[in-house]
Amino acid sequence: MSNDFSRVRTAEDYTAARAASIEDPEAFWAAQAERFTWRRRWDRVLEWEFETPSVKWFIGGRLNITENCLDRHVEAHGDRTALIWEPNDPKEQARRITYSELHERVCRYANVLKAKGIGKGDRVVVYMPMIPDLVVGVLACARIGAIHSVVFCGFSARSLADRINDAGAKAVLCSDGMFRGPKEMPVKSVVDEALEQCTTVEHVLVSRRVGWDVSMQPGRDTWLADELEHVDATCPAEEMDSEDPLFILYTSGSTGKPKGVVHTIGGYMVYTDYSFRNVFQYEEGQVFWCTADVGWITGHSYITYGPLLAGATQVMFEGVPTFPDPGRFWQVVDKHRVNVFYTAPTAIRSLMACGLDHVLSYDLHSLKVLGTVGEPINEEAWHWYKTHIGKDRCPVVDTWWQTETGGILISSLAGVTDEKPGHAAHPLPGVQPVLLNAEGGEITGNGEEGLLCMKFPWPSILRTTWGDHERCRQTYFSAFKGMYFTGDGAKRDLDGRYRIIGRVDDVINVSGHRFGTAEIESAINQAKGVVESAVVGYPHDIKGQGIYAYVITEAPVGDPEDMRGHIVEAVRQAIGPIAKPDKIQFVSGLPKTRSGKIMRRILRKVAEGELDKLGDTSTLLDPKVVDEIQEGRL
Ligand code: PRX
């Protein structure tokens, strides 16, 4: 009997699946695509080249992804719970939403959007906390063929405006406000402020969450609940092309301006479903919980799409890990009998720092599989997770991927392939990583380190960057001919497992979130009295990397704390509180080469405290600034 490898269950299966996927990738992925509802079957599986670049999967195929997330499950098991929504405050009742109910809510929301004149190809920005309307709104866009762009609710009005303008959004979906731990925070007023700088937005739909009396601009803003009263409970799904865009998600790179990563429907659908079921070894009936926010790619692929495509039951959590106390995650695991738990190393480290008492009062016996994502996990955190949360019986998958890859590319498959602390380990079937040296030569041996690239497309690879294809080519496909360059360095151990070392470009990974140094510098430079700045990452116990800023001011700084406050405020305004520098050192100059380039390597070494590894500083314009910088190190 032929094996389509749709579910890899043993190490032997994995070896065979990988071999099959490399030998005949088209046959391999066609077999996976067969699992879905297509209005029209594809003519060709794949066309690609990494020069322009141009990648197309399931060419000629017609479908709607929401029919695959919802309709087919409604037919088969409409009463199954799709979402268990756990609110911020444990005293508030959790809500269960079945596949049938979710289907109806998505259809109604889609009809509201349609009634507003929003349709295929229009861009809709979603700026909402982790409430069910976020997932419903996103799926409603997909239902009618509108392109969603979710912006994380922690971003500032200016960041939101930049994204709305870049996408040319016609509508914004938001809420009145949000709960976050003990705090209530504004959402609608941030949208209002952003929209002062935007001209394309015609409609704002507001979900009620905190019950505030927010200002509503007549003709533009409406309450979602009022609109829902007038619409039908059914909404035929728009027939889309496999290569039509599904969403834009903005992410930081090494330039000052975030770019809109574009994913298209068919390939993204096939890959998120495949990777979800295989990495987590999800079994029907299990409860899955990914703690990420839908504002990031993890919440797109492993909350909104992957689990729903697979017909899973999942927890969606509004709150934070430490509210009302650092036992909250584990309380929710016990309460909803979570079987598969997927979180970020930064959350593990911060809970680890709060002590074991918060863990030991919970049973955690429902857990079967644990996962991490977003940044390298240090061995101490890995062992703590494995021992105290997984009770040494749950496999831990360390999943490496990126906004641009759409789904998990390197990870062990839970309990199927081996795991090793700190190692993402194995490429998924269909994924072909290579390590290159700086000259672009392939490193074929094990036990070696290099630049991580992919030499063959997988179905959910980004297709372009919104409105600027050349930027996509430049960023990902120009460093090495014929390769997708990830921006990460990696090492293969002697047994061929991959260990991700971290970014090799000017991107800092703070608590699993990406920021470009240029983006933060341009925010700092907007603070009054700042002349110039340079930002680097440094090792941080909880966040993985912290942000260290070296700042030159116009005049000598009178009160350093006051000035630091201004700088932090400037970053809050430009990007959001998540990007605020942890350390700000005032300097009179920066180490520059004679051509004016800042030598970040030196700044990084000082921030890391590796003062004996500064290297040759004699080529600098003014080598003396290095002494001053070292002396003033924080
Ligand atoms: O450096 C890698 C790191 O996060 C980057 C991608 O960030 P983003 O697009 O925001 O997506 C994060 C969630 C998928 C990568 O280039 N990264 C992600 N996962 C891991 C990781 N580093 C080490 N180990 C991981 N498991």
Side-chain angles (χ1 to χ4, degrees):
M1 200 188 94
S2 79
N3 187 343
D4 71 4
F5 301 114
S6 66
R7 180 60 186 268
V8 171
R9 289 184 185 277
T10 62
E12 294 71 40
D13 263 6
Y14 167 74
T15 309
R18 248 188 83 63
S21 74
I22 292 169
E23 193 179 313
D24 191 348
E26 296 192 23
F28 180 85
W29 288 114
Q32 311 315 322
E34 296 286 0
R35 299 170 49 87
F36 298 91
T37 304
W38 296 81
R39 296 268 186 95
R40 180 182 185 277
R41 202 187 142 85
W42 55 92
D43 302 313
R44 284 182 312 287
V45 178
L46 171 66
E47 276 175 14
W48 71 286
E49 45 88 1
F50 277 174
E51 299 298 318
T52 316
S54 168
V55 180
K56 294 180 181 150
W57 282 92
F58 311 111
I59 300 141
R62 311 279 297 173
L63 75 162
N64 186 289
I65 196 168
T66 69
E67 287 188 333
N68 287 286
C69 290
L70 301 169
D71 300 56
R72 64 184 177 135
H73 300 312
V74 170
E75 279 160 35
H77 41 74
D79 292 340
R80 180 184 293 171
T81 302
L83 290 183
I84 305 169
W85 181 70
E86 173 68 24
N88 177 64
D89 183 345
K91 293 200 261 328
E92 188 180 338
Q93 181 99 41
R95 274 187 244 156
R96 297 178 87 89
I97 303 171
T98 65
Y99 272 91
S100 294
E101 287 161 352
L102 186 60
H103 179 260
E104 187 184 321
R105 287 175 68 161
V106 168
C107 285
R108 283 186 186 276
Y109 205 143
N111 282 330
V112 170
L113 296 176
K114 267 173 139 173
K116 301 268 173 212
I118 296 155
K120 193 169 183 166
D122 287 337
R123 275 81 61 210
V124 176
V125 162
V126 186
Y127 186 74
M128 252 198 257
M130 287 285 284
I131 56 176
D133 274 355
L134 169 53
V135 168
V136 174
V138 163
L139 292 172
C141 291
R143 187 83 177 169
I144 62 170
I147 302 167
H148 56 78
S149 186
V150 184
V151 177
F152 174 62
C153 243
F155 278 117
S156 67
R158 208 179 305 159
S159 286
L160 175 61
D162 288 347
R163 285 155 174 80
I164 291 171
N165 287 334
D166 190 82
K170 193 167 173 180
V172 175
L173 316 182
C174 69
S175 63
D176 49 357
M178 66 189 279
F179 295 113
R180 196 175 160 74
K183 293 188 247 172
E184 288 181 8
M185 285 158 42
V187 177
K188 172 65 166 61
S189 63
V190 180
V191 172
D192 290 341
E193 193 186 330
L195 291 186
E196 284 169 18
Q197 304 159 53
C198 305
T199 55
T200 57
V201 174
E202 295 168 19
H203 302 286
V204 179
L205 280 157
V206 190
S207 294
R208 202 179 281 287
R209 173 58 185 130
V210 295
W212 286 344
D213 190 13
V214 295
S215 82
M216 299 290 275
Q217 182 174 307
R220 188 193 71 181
D221 307 348
T222 41
W223 289 102
L224 177 69
D226 296 343
E227 300 287 328
L228 287 171
E229 281 177 15
H230 313 295
V231 293
D232 240 43
T234 53
C235 174
E238 185 76 30
E239 184 177 299
M240 305 296 288
D241 190 274
S242 174
E243 279 299 331
D244 279 334
L246 174 63
F247 66 84
I248 306 169
L249 186 57
Y250 285 86
T251 188
S252 298
S254 36
T255 67
K257 189 171 168 264
K259 51 189 172 288
V261 167
V262 175
H263 284 288
T264 58
I265 302 168
Y268 180 82
M269 172 182 78
V270 170
Y271 196 80
T272 50
D273 168 80
Y274 183 82
S275 52
F276 170 73
R277 288 181 300 99
N278 282 286
V279 168
F280 301 108
Q281 291 288 300
Y282 180 81
E283 298 285 352
E284 203 170 296
Q286 287 187 334
V287 177
F288 175 78
W289 181 16
C290 165
T291 68
D293 192 289
V294 174
W296 310 106
I297 190 68
T298 309
H300 280 62
S301 304
Y302 301 109
I303 294 180
T304 314
Y305 289 107
L308 294 179
L309 286 163
T313 296
Q314 63 175 325
V315 173
M316 177 182 188
F317 178 46
E318 186 187 32
V320 295
T322 47
F323 178 78
D325 62 58
R328 186 71 192 278
F329 271 0
W330 322 127
Q331 178 251 333
V332 175
V333 165
D334 276 3
K335 178 175 175 188
H336 299 300
R337 297 191 181 79
V338 171
N339 305 114
V340 184
F341 180 73
Y342 188 32
T343 195
T346 188
I348 298 170
R349 286 190 297 264
S350 72
L351 297 180
M352 195 168 104
C354 295
L356 263 187
D357 287 351
H358 295 287
V359 179
L360 297 177
S361 38
Y362 299 99
D363 189 81
L364 303 181
H365 81 268
S366 59
L367 288 174
K368 291 195 156 47
V369 171
L370 301 176
T372 65
V373 58
E375 46 174 325
I377 180 162
N378 49 314
E379 292 201 16
E380 194 191 355
W382 192 95
H383 283 294
W384 187 87
Y385 196 36
K386 178 91 182 168
T387 308
H388 299 296
I389 308 305
K391 312 291 182 200
D392 278 323
R393 58 178 167 71
C394 300
V396 175
V397 291
D398 173 352
T399 66
W400 173 86
W401 57 297
Q402 309 177 295
T403 305
E404 296 85 346
T405 71
I408 299 164
L409 293 196
I410 303 181
S411 169
S412 44
L413 309 183
V416 170
T417 53
D418 61 353
E419 63 190 30
K420 183 176 170 186
H423 289 67
H426 308 285
L428 263 66
V431 175
Q432 300 192 34
V434 285
L435 293 182
L436 302 185
N437 59 31
E439 291 72 47
E442 183 170 346
I443 300 166
T444 50
N446 285 345
E448 308 239 19
E449 200 176 306
L451 301 167
L452 181 63
C453 292
M454 300 289 153
K455 65 176 176 192
F456 196 86
W458 59 99
S460 62
I461 184 173
L462 88 160
R463 301 301 197 265
T464 188
T465 43
W466 183 257
D468 192 351
H469 192 65
E470 174 56 15
R471 189 158 177 216
C472 171
R473 190 190 69 77
Q474 278 273 344
T475 314
Y476 308 104
F477 299 90
S478 69
F480 305 107
K481 198 173 160 47
M483 298 279 171
Y484 166 81
F485 176 42
T486 63
D488 279 332
K491 181 173 181 178
R492 242 184 337 247
D493 76 2
L494 293 173
D495 300 310
R497 296 185 205 89
Y498 286 85
R499 176 190 187 100
I500 309 301
I501 297 163
R503 303 290 305 192
V504 295
D505 52 10
D506 289 326
V507 168
I508 309 183
N509 189 327
V510 185
S511 302
H513 303 313
R514 265 161 75 169
F515 296 100
T517 52
E519 196 183 347
I520 303 173
E521 287 161 7
S522 93
I524 293 176
N525 297 349
Q526 285 166 30
K528 197 162 173 280
V530 169
V531 176
E532 195 183 3
S533 62
V535 160
V536 296
Y538 73 97
H540 187 286
D541 284 350
I542 304 289
K543 300 179 181 183
Q545 278 192 296
I547 299 174
Y548 195 121
Y550 299 88
V551 177
I552 306 176
T553 51
E554 274 166 19
V557 176
D559 179 351
E561 277 326 299
D562 194 45
M563 190 62 195
R564 286 192 181 103
H566 285 310
I567 290 171
V568 165
E569 191 47 35
V571 175
R572 271 176 179 276
Q573 296 273 334
I575 307 174
I578 38 177
K580 67 178 206 277
D582 298 276
K583 293 185 181 180
I584 300 172
Q585 180 181 343
F586 297 106
V587 294
S588 66
L590 292 166
K592 288 188 181 171
T593 60
R594 291 200 171 85
S595 59
K597 195 169 161 275
I598 297 173
M599 294 282 281
R600 284 169 195 283
R601 183 180 50 79
I602 294 176
L603 295 176
R604 237 178 265 130
K605 290 291 171 206
V606 173
E608 286 165 5
E610 297 192 338
L611 303 181
D612 52 337
K613 295 194 186 132
L614 297 184
D616 183 12
T617 55
S618 62
T619 54
L620 294 176
L621 199 57
D622 177 11
K624 283 201 297 296
V625 298
V626 178
D627 299 332
E628 180 210 311
I629 288 172
Q630 285 190 68
E631 276 159 28
R633 181 176 171 267
L634 299 171

